[in-house]
Amino acid sequence: MRVYLDHNATSPLLGEVVESMTRVLRDLYGNPSSVHEEGRSARAAVDRARESVASLIGVEVEDVLFTAGATEANNTALLGLARARAGTARHLVTSAAEHPSVEAPLEVLEREGWRVTRVGVDSEGQLDEAQFEESIESETALVSILWANNETGVLQPMQRVAALARERGISIHVDATQAVGKVPVDLQDVPIDFLSLSAHKFNGPKGVGCLIARGDPAFEPILCGGPQERGRRGGTENVAAIVGLGVACELAEEELPDRMHDYAGLRDRLWEGIHAKIPSVRRNGSADRMLPNTLNVEFEGVVGELLLQALDVEGIAASSGAACHSGSIEPSNVLIAMGRSPESARASLRFSVGHGNDATQLDYALSRLPDLVERARRGTRP
Ligand SMILES: Cc1ncc(COP(=O)(O)O)c(C=O)c1O
């Protein structure tokens, strides 16, 4: 049996998504910029997908800019915005627990002379709102905050954070890659200027996403070329992937309440089983402010990477926040920002449920975990 519990890394495509993409690959080969019928048909498919994204997120169709995923969307928001405003402002605000696709472009900007304030999070992963408020200065061009953490699933109070930025007249970018399709993300209720999302995190294809840029703000395109995306992102559109994203958005809009309910049920079953069967375990992140599908657990005394390998051999796919660099295992910067020791961070695994999981699979994982943890503990503690 294979039990895939790594939906935050990527998620399987829904049947309707595959069918829509297959139709485009087979029949809609026109270039959306061409004026002939083939081109117009492809353009119509892209336009419909744009409407589906706009409807799910609660924005205008003109606000939706297609990208090759959230990494590009985050880079475009940060580098594009900062460069458009260079000369007027030199300061950015973010959190200490961001995804590398936000952190890395911020480091590029630091090398270009920008100052970046990284606001701390507490032991539950919640943004320090007082520190956030204090960090905003007259020189601040943009704040960028992760809506839902990919490693812990912790949700930030986006309504309050966005309102604080708005009160100060500062634009806010939000990486909502893990939130979209898992919790309600409706910008009619939240004053967010820029938002990144990625199709493959909610049962769409890889390599496509969006930057939502509300109200036609000035930014420098990162991909310079043709006039596509109203001159904001050059390059012929990946029509099949964009259509797949649109269908994933339509399904997410329809199914969100059921998904939230079902995922939370499976995730809670897993945690209750782990907690009941395995001693010395701890949940990372505040349980009541978390994505419904995510569980991050410290198995005290375990080397997470070894437990992951043992799980994989038994047919269970999970993940750790740690990245391997030339043989050494780096502890997760997110868990370190939450005040965990490097050992605790290395002993933590992420389980993320989603489409295709059921109670039988979770019970199978629970039947294998206690023994594997026990063996991993014996292996690491002579
Ligand atoms: C929070 C977050 N932001 C951005 C990304 C990058 O998304 P993409 O794979 O579409 O570039 C990911 C994916 O791991 C993520 O979890």
Side-chain angles (χ1 to χ4, degrees), residues 127-203:
L127 189 76
D128 182 333
E129 286 177 55
Q131 202 190 335
F132 174 75
E133 204 172 348
E134 279 164 23
S135 69
I136 296 175
E137 314 172 356
S138 57
E139 279 243 300
T140 308
L142 181 72
V143 306
S144 181
I145 299 291
L146 186 58
W147 191 315
N149 190 281
N150 45 301
E151 293 182 31
T152 59
V154 168
L155 293 162
Q156 298 303 342
M158 234 48 246
Q159 177 77 47
R160 285 205 302 277
V161 170
L164 275 177
R166 176 62 56 95
E167 273 166 29
R168 304 294 190 89
I170 307 294
S171 299
I172 179 163
H173 165 254
V174 173
D175 179 356
T177 305
Q178 294 290 347
V180 172
K182 296 177 191 150
V183 289
V185 172
D186 186 350
L187 298 201
Q188 289 184 81
D189 302 334
V190 194
I192 287 173
D193 304 285
F194 301 92
L195 179 137
S196 303
L197 64 90
S198 182
H200 74 108
K201 306 294 186 181
F202 61 107
N203 309 110

Side-chain angles (χ1 to χ4, degrees), residues 13 18 38 65 80 96 125 140 161 178 206 237 300 303 340 353:
L13 270 68
V18 176
E38 288 80 358
L65 166 65
T140 308
V161 170
Q178 294 290 347
K206 294 168 187 57
E237 298 87 341
E300 197 192 303
V303 175
R340 303 290 190 268
V353 303

Side-chain angles (χ1 to χ4, degrees), residues 215-229:
D216 206 16
F219 64 82
E220 296 220 354
I222 300 304
L223 293 186
C224 307
Q228 291 88 356
E229 298 299 283

